[in-house]
């Protein structure tokens, strides 16, 4: 995957993807960032209409179909997961962020990791560079990986492998990488072959050389677009402190400081973390920043642990957490008639006064291929059998659960629903 010419990615993005206009929910006018301005023309493409056409007949399909000619507007109900264009465009990149914004996402996400020289960058996992970038094909950087590329050995029965982390390289080295669709080829015998492995329901059409971003660059971009921020502080897969004295607390504080230094009003930021200690740190040391802190919850993936996840909610609330964000299926269940209804988790969270956000729509691939949506549709698998069923879930989350917003890998899907039902939080 050759590097693009120096200005190519930015120039194409500015020329072809941006022209933003009305501010989302009264966000302040964006500051100049290479000429970027808030979007005036939201464009959803064919997917939402395809999904509506694929729905089973009924009142919801009729309602959504009636909105097919609406002029679509940005909405904070639509949250761009890893940018919002990640079904088709490399995640955490400039291009994904611009695609999510173009599809009406009012809030964009950057997952925040750190480099060896302690700079913050956008990457979903601190140690995912081997599956999301071309790092293994660059000998001098591959050599710095925690585990450099190792080819498959069919005779020994071993698969190709590598582990490359943002913390293995400097920010300058990180910026030299090309981002690609997440995936790898376990049968690879060369670094180039290792880059393959994009799932069939995605595409490599836009994976020519995704432009990676630092956290500061991303803040400037989102501010320029007049949109809102939901950064996630990633948890290192190794013991902290890093490199002697870079503690989790320093990392969490640096994360906050970059918004303060950029002059961003904290009311525009929904910081996230799966690590409860991060949220507790913000509550104690940065209470204004923590008002909209989102505690991501993946502690209830089995029937036994799900009950514990519900029970844990009261402790989080007592500590001052205001917003919980579990996976989609935690919030819904099926009643005896097979109707999607709020789950025990939802009922308890609402009783305690939590606001709810959920993740991640359009990450399951095909819903009509027998998988019934996989992980994200676990609790409603029995009523999931075609791609259009995604809107049955969105409808229940919006109307019955009352979520603040939904993360999506293809922002247009949620934007369409939100516009049709007038959801502009």
């Amino acid at each position: 995957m050759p590097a693009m010419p120096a200005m190519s990615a930015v120039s194409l993005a500015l020329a072809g993807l941006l022209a933003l206009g009305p501010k989302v929910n009264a966000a302040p006018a964006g500051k100049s960032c290479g000429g970027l301005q808030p979007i005036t023309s939201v464009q959803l493409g064919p997917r939402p209409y395809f999904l509506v056409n694929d729905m089973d007949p009924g009142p919801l399909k009729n309602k959504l179909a009636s909105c097919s000619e609406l002029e679509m507007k940005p909405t904070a109900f639509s949250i761009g997961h890893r940018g919002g264009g990640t079904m088709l465009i490399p995640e955490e990149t400039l291009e994904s962020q611009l695609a999510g914004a173009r599809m009406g996402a009012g809030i964009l996400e950057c997952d925040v990791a750190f480099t060896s020289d302690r700079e913050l960058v956008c990457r979903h996992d601190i140690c995912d560079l081997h599956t999301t970038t071309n790092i293994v094909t660059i000998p001098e950087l591959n050599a710095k990986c925690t585990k450099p590329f190792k080819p498959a050995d069919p005779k020994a029965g071993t698969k190709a492998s590598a582990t490359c982390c943002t913390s293995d390289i400097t920010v300058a080295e990180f910026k030299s990488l090309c981002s690609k669709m997440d995936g790898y080829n376990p049968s690879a015998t060369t670094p180039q072959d290792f880059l393959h492995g994009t799932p069939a329901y995605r595409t490599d059409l836009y994976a020519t050389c995704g432009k990676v971003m630092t956290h500061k660059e991303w803040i400037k971009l989102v501010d320029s677009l007049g949109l809102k921020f939901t950064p996630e502080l990633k948890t290192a897969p190794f013991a902290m402190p890093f490199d002697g004295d870079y503690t989790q607390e320093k990392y969490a504080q640096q994360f906050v400081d970059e918004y303060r230094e950029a002059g961003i009003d904290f009311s525009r930021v929904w910081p996230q973390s799966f690590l409860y200690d991060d949220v507790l740190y913000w509550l104690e040391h940065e209470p204004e920043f923590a008002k909209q802190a989102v505690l991501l919850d993946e502690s209830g993936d089995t029937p036994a642990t799900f009950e514990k996840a519900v029970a844990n909610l009261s402790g989080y609330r007592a500590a001052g957490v205001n917003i919980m964000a579990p996976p989609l299926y935690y919030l819904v269940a099926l009643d005896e008639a097979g109707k999607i209804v709020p789950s025990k988790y939802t009922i308890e969270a609402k009783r305690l006064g939590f606001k709810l956000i959920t993740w991640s729509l359009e990450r399951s691939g095909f819903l009509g291929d027998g998988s019934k949506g996989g992980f994200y549709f676990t609790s409603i698998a029995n009523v999931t059998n075609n791609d259009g069923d995604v809107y049955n879930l969105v409808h229940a989350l919006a109307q019955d659960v009352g979520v603040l917003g939904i993360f999506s890998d293809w922002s247009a899907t949620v934007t369409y629903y939100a516009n049709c039902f007038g959801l502009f939080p």
Side-chain angles (χ1 to χ4, degrees):
M1 186 183 294
M4 296 180 72
M7 290 300 294
S8 175
V10 176
S11 299
L12 287 173
L14 300 186
L17 286 172
L18 277 172
L20 292 167
K23 304 177 285 260
V24 176
N25 198 25
K31 300 174 182 176
S32 176
C33 177
L36 306 190
Q37 299 295 328
I39 282 181
T40 55
S41 176
V42 169
Q43 300 170 16
L44 301 187
R47 182 159 180 79
Y49 310 95
F50 164 81
L51 294 172
V52 172
N53 288 336
D54 194 52
M55 293 177 70
D56 296 330
L60 179 58
K61 180 174 183 175
N62 294 340
K63 168 64 175 174
L64 290 170
S66 74
C67 298
S68 64
E69 303 309 312
L70 281 181
E71 180 180 348
M72 298 294 164
K73 301 177 182 179
T75 168
F77 189 78
S78 179
I79 307 172
H81 186 233
R82 310 187 193 183
T86 54
M87 178 179 279
L88 302 180
I89 299 171
E91 64 189 44
E92 309 283 349
T93 60
L94 171 68
E95 294 80 5
S96 181
Q97 302 289 338
L98 295 179
R102 175 58 70 194
M103 290 187 282
I107 305 177
L108 298 178
E109 181 186 40
C110 161
D111 295 289
V112 179
F114 60 86
T115 61
S116 63
D117 49 353
R118 304 183 186 185
E119 293 293 329
L120 302 186
V121 297
C122 296
R123 192 66 8 202
H124 180 254
D125 193 302
I126 288 176
C127 293
D128 73 2
L129 294 181
H130 52 290
T131 64
T132 64
T133 75
N134 63 337
I135 190 170
V136 298
T137 67
I138 305 172
E140 61 272 23
L141 297 186
N142 176 60
K144 293 186 175 185
C145 288
T146 297
K147 295 181 180 179
F149 169 73
K150 185 176 181 180
D153 185 342
K155 291 183 179 179
T158 57
K159 297 179 179 179
S161 63
T163 301
C164 302
C165 309
T166 58
S167 54
D168 292 332
I169 58 176
T170 67
V171 69
E173 291 166 335
F174 173 81
K175 289 286 290 177
S176 74
L177 299 175
C178 283
S179 192
K180 70 179 192 69
M181 297 300 285
D182 190 11
Y184 74 101
N185 175 14
S187 300
T189 56
T190 68
Q192 289 71 23
D193 285 344
F194 190 75
L195 301 185
H196 302 148
T198 301
Y201 63 89
R202 296 180 180 165
T203 179
D204 286 320
L205 183 62
Y206 301 103
T208 51
C209 183
K211 185 174 179 61
V212 298
M213 303 187 75
T214 67
H215 184 225
K216 289 179 180 178
E217 289 173 334
W218 177 79
I219 291 173
K220 188 174 183 180
L221 172 71
V222 177
D223 190 32
S224 296
L225 301 180
L227 301 179
K228 299 181 180 181
F229 312 79
T230 186
E232 180 191 334
L233 191 69
K234 302 307 296 187
T235 303
F238 44 77
M240 296 286 276
F242 170 76
D243 192 29
D245 65 347
Y246 191 58
T247 63
Q248 187 67 30
E249 293 75 17
K250 286 184 178 180
Y251 178 30
Q253 186 62 51
Q254 181 182 355
F255 178 86
V256 180
D257 290 344
E258 293 199 351
Y259 290 90
R260 183 174 285 116
E261 291 164 5
I264 302 300
D265 191 313
F266 287 168
S267 67
R268 296 174 63 197
V269 186
W270 279 263
Q272 315 165 66
S273 182
F274 279 103
L275 186 63
Y276 184 37
D277 284 350
D278 288 340
V279 178
L280 291 177
Y281 176 85
W282 295 327
L283 285 166
E284 180 179 354
H285 298 278
E286 294 284 356
E288 285 299 311
F289 191 73
K291 284 181 179 179
Q292 295 182 150
V294 179
L295 179 58
L296 298 159
D297 189 4
E298 58 179 355
S299 65
D301 287 352
T302 68
T305 58
F306 184 79
E307 295 299 325
K308 291 181 180 178
V310 174
N312 287 340
L313 290 171
S314 59
Y316 299 146
R317 193 72 179 111
V321 179
N322 294 319
I323 307 173
M324 295 297 300
L328 302 166
Y329 81 89
Y330 281 31
L331 298 178
V332 291
L334 296 177
D335 67 10
E336 293 180 356
K339 179 183 177 183
I340 302 175
V341 296
S343 68
K344 290 181 180 179
Y345 190 106
T346 292
I347 293 168
E348 177 65 0
K350 294 178 79 171
R351 184 189 73 81
L352 292 167
F354 278 113
K355 295 177 181 179
L356 296 167
I357 293 172
T358 191
W359 45 277
S360 294
L361 207 71
E362 296 284 39
R363 194 154 186 85
S364 298
F366 307 112
L367 303 187
D369 63 354
S371 67
K372 298 185 176 182
F375 172 79
Y376 290 102
F377 286 74
T378 299
S379 63
I380 60 169
N382 289 344
V383 296
T384 303
N385 52 39
N386 58 278
D387 288 329
D389 286 338
V390 69
Y391 275 129
N392 296 329
L393 175 56
V394 173
H395 190 58
L397 291 168
Q399 305 300 329
D400 301 322
V401 174
V403 296
L404 290 178
I406 300 175
F407 281 92
S408 178
D409 278 33
W410 196 244
S411 297
T413 301
V414 177
T415 299
Y416 183 94
Y417 178 92
N419 272 263
C420 192
F421 281 85
L423 302 178
F424 298 98

